[in-house]
Amino acid sequence: PPYEVLPAEVSMEEMPRSTTVTLEEPPRPPPPRDHLVWSLFTTLYGNFCCLGLLAFVFSVKSRDRKVLGDYSGALSYGSTAKCLNITALVINIVIVIIVIIIVALVTAGVFRYPPPPYVENPFFGPT
């Protein structure tokens, strides 16, 4: 703001000596996500090639880093856990689709045993 010139009749000795400064802290970014619950469910229900277990380990490391205040480390571990969870989820969905297709084909009778070969019986003629 522009400064105003003090009138000549006011001296500096009469002015109060305290100064108040207000500081506004910038808003803190939200802490990074650790995806711990997602990793737990991936570990329990879709642990293909131990991807769920690895995701759970990285989620715990991310939570530890977040508690210590290392947000960049927590972000790195959290994003690794997220990638592992997504990979395990995609692989599990593909496996479920393949199993459903195989079960549907078996019930439809596509995979049948071949018919027995035609054998001519010498006593009774062709069978």
Side-chain angles (χ1 to χ4, degrees):
Y3 295 104
E4 297 178 16
V5 180
L6 287 175
E9 56 270 355
V10 177
S11 68
M12 289 298 293
E13 284 77 30
E14 298 171 3
M15 300 294 289
R17 304 255 177 187
S18 65
T19 305
T20 305
V21 177
T22 58
L23 296 176
E24 292 183 16
E25 292 184 18
R28 299 180 96 191
R33 298 189 57 174
D34 53 14
H35 307 287
L36 188 67
V37 176
W38 187 11
S39 298
L40 181 64
F41 281 115
T42 304
T43 302
L44 293 176
Y45 297 115
N47 199 10
F48 181 77
C49 289
C50 295
L51 288 177
L53 183 63
L54 283 173
F56 186 72
V57 167
F58 278 100
S59 294
V60 170
K61 284 184 175 187
S62 174
R63 181 160 285 194
D64 290 344
R65 288 291 166 192
K66 188 168 44 173
V67 167
L68 291 176
D70 179 16
Y71 287 139
S72 64
L75 184 65
S76 173
Y77 284 130
S79 66
T80 304
K82 181 180 178 181
C83 290
L84 288 170
N85 281 323
I86 290 172
T87 304
L89 179 67
V90 168
I91 290 173
N92 287 325
I93 288 173
V94 168
I95 288 173
V96 166
I97 290 172
I98 289 172
V99 167
I100 288 173
I101 290 172
I102 289 174
V103 167
L105 291 176
V106 166
T107 19
V110 174
F111 298 118
R112 286 190 228 168
Y113 293 110
Y118 178 75
V119 178
E120 191 172 317
N121 191 338
F123 299 107
F124 300 106
T127 57

